[in-house]
Amino acid sequence: MTTLSVVGVGYLGAVHAASMASLGHTVIGVDVDERKLEDLAAARAPFFEPGLPELLERTQDSARLSFTSDASVVAPATVHFVCVGTPQSADGLHADLSHVDAAVDSILPHIGPGHLVVGKSTVPVGTAERLAGRVRATGAELAWNPEFLREGKAVQDTLTPDRLVYGVPDGAAGERAAQQLDEVYRSVLDLGTTRIIADYPTAELVKTAANSFLATKISFINAMAELCETAGGDVTVLADAIGIDDRIGRKFLNAGLGFGGGCLPKDIRAFIARADDLGAGEAVSFLKEIDAINLRRRDRMADLAVEVCGGDVDGVHVTVLGAAFKPDSDDTRDSPALAVAAALRDRGAIVTVTDPEAIENASRREPDLTFEPDLTTALRGAGLVLLLTEWTQYRELDPHSVADLVDRPRILDGRNVLDPARWRGAGWTYRALGRP
Ligand code: UDX
């Protein structure tokens, strides 16, 4: 077993640290956020992630997992994972790499020959090469090992990933780095997990390309939804019909309000910016359209609300179901649901937002919106209901009982998850994106 450090214990790092400890490694988690550290040290997950609290409890009882803000504590570790965020920069599309640089700098004084620094953060191609010199000056080596975890399934995606990608340098140094990573991931590899060895740029691009592809799939079906709206088709039937072809596949073809979150939107924008820097902007210029299609869905949803209310939402009590960017997450970064809620408020609607887990984060992001944690209370007296994040409890709502709560039975299904016939049968005006 290896002693590891994990620098940055947010969504990625906290799950990675707890997962690696559960595999038997000794793990030191480092972060600058004292509140996060306090939570994790008490085996409390600082964010909602199914399975993480149980994993933290189990691993902390074994004393293999500790957390600190003091980077010098990483000294006993020989493999150091960099798991900090790379948000969109404040002044453009590029990724802000300041956290990655700071994380690497913070461990440089404490590493040396035989140590391996492993980047897991999503970075623009070329970053690993740029950092490698600094790491090698200490005698240590650098690998890039992108993560592919989905929020809500992060523990599963870490412990039983589809693949492990190692970006390593050529020659003996690369072989040693791969061996060190094999030791860390031994039990994951023993499950038969595919391991792909690549150079730095390929490893970095694998992550960006995967996210770009997923975003493209979603925007493709949402573009078809736009056509269905004008031509009078049903995008859900269309998705089933094309998705049955296993070259296309039905996954990630759910039309609706589109993608959000801390990854897909900023990753495709950073990719556009990086490709431009490299003089290869044309190769990914289609991603601008992917982004534009995605954002148009939010406008269309707000327009549909106005249309259903007879041309004006001013003074209408609107209940928004969902604030998180997707179900099973409390993450509201670039949340389509919150964007639509805010747009309707700006158009004069009296908006109440409910969500099972994301209200705290949402109210920090949109302090001027009204939040109501209780679903029944949120629905009472509504003149229009919008289902914008498809939590199970919203998908399973009974149209008859909800009709008794609201003022006017009008619902917009922003995720195409309700049965239109059932809702209409219960007396509702039902509208959705891309459906008649
Ligand atoms: C994504 C990638 O899946 C993951 O591999 C990467 O490491 C990080 O980014 P995540 O952001 O957790 O993960 O969310 P994901 O499950 O991919 O969903 C992204 C967004 O797309 C959500 O807003 C979701 O609602 C939306 N989506 C997804 C659709 O609109 N339609 C679909 O069919 C699927």
Side-chain angles (χ1 to χ4, degrees), residues 270-302:
F271 200 14
I272 294 167
R274 184 62 183 147
D276 269 341
D277 293 346
L278 293 170
E282 264 184 10
V284 294
S285 65
F286 71 95
L287 289 175
K288 292 181 192 160
E289 199 52 47
I290 298 305
D291 197 12
I293 294 167
N294 191 54
L295 295 176
R296 274 208 300 274
R297 294 287 75 192
R298 303 175 188 189
D299 297 338
R300 172 70 188 133
M301 195 70 208

Side-chain angles (χ1 to χ4, degrees), residues 16-41:
H16 190 65
S19 300
M20 293 303 107
S22 80
L23 298 180
H25 302 298
T26 300
V27 182
I28 306 156
V30 188
D31 206 293
V32 292
D33 182 341
E34 293 289 349
R35 197 185 66 92
K36 228 180 257 168
L37 293 169
E38 224 171 82
D39 278 346
L40 288 164

Side-chain angles (χ1 to χ4, degrees), residues 67-187:
F67 295 96
T68 177
S69 57
D70 176 5
S72 72
V73 173
V74 307
T78 50
V79 178
H80 308 272
F81 287 97
V82 174
C83 293
V84 291
T86 53
Q88 187 172 337
S89 59
D91 55 355
L93 298 185
H94 285 92
D96 172 0
L97 294 178
S98 59
H99 303 295
V100 171
D101 281 295
V104 171
D105 286 343
S106 74
I107 55 172
L108 287 180
H110 315 292
I111 60 174
H115 286 219
L116 183 66
V117 176
V118 186
K120 287 197 83 66
S121 308
T122 301
V123 291
V125 60
T127 305
E129 197 56 60
R130 177 173 70 75
L131 295 171
R134 265 142 78 186
V135 171
R136 281 185 201 131
T138 70
E141 191 47 80
L142 177 75
W144 216 266
N145 168 224
E147 56 82 16
F148 300 97
L149 55 87
R150 292 162 295 177
E151 287 177 27
K153 295 206 168 74
V155 173
Q156 175 191 326
D157 287 348
T158 304
L159 290 172
T160 55
D162 293 331
R163 73 301 212 184
L164 289 167
V165 176
Y166 302 171
V168 293
D170 280 343
E175 277 168 34
R176 261 196 315 276
Q179 268 168 16
Q180 281 174 286
L181 281 170
D182 281 353
E183 279 163 33
V184 172
Y185 291 126
R186 177 56 51 213
S187 32

Side-chain angles (χ1 to χ4, degrees), residues 148-149 151 207 218 252-254 259-260 263 325-326 415:
F148 300 97
L149 55 87
E151 287 177 27
K207 173 60 194 273
I218 299 168
F252 268 69
L253 276 189
N254 295 321
F259 58 82
C263 292
F325 84 101
K326 69 172 192 181
R415 295 292 177 178

Side-chain angles (χ1 to χ4, degrees), residues 312-316 344 347-350:
D312 194 0
V313 284
D314 195 23
V316 176
L344 290 177
R347 295 196 199 185
I350 303 160

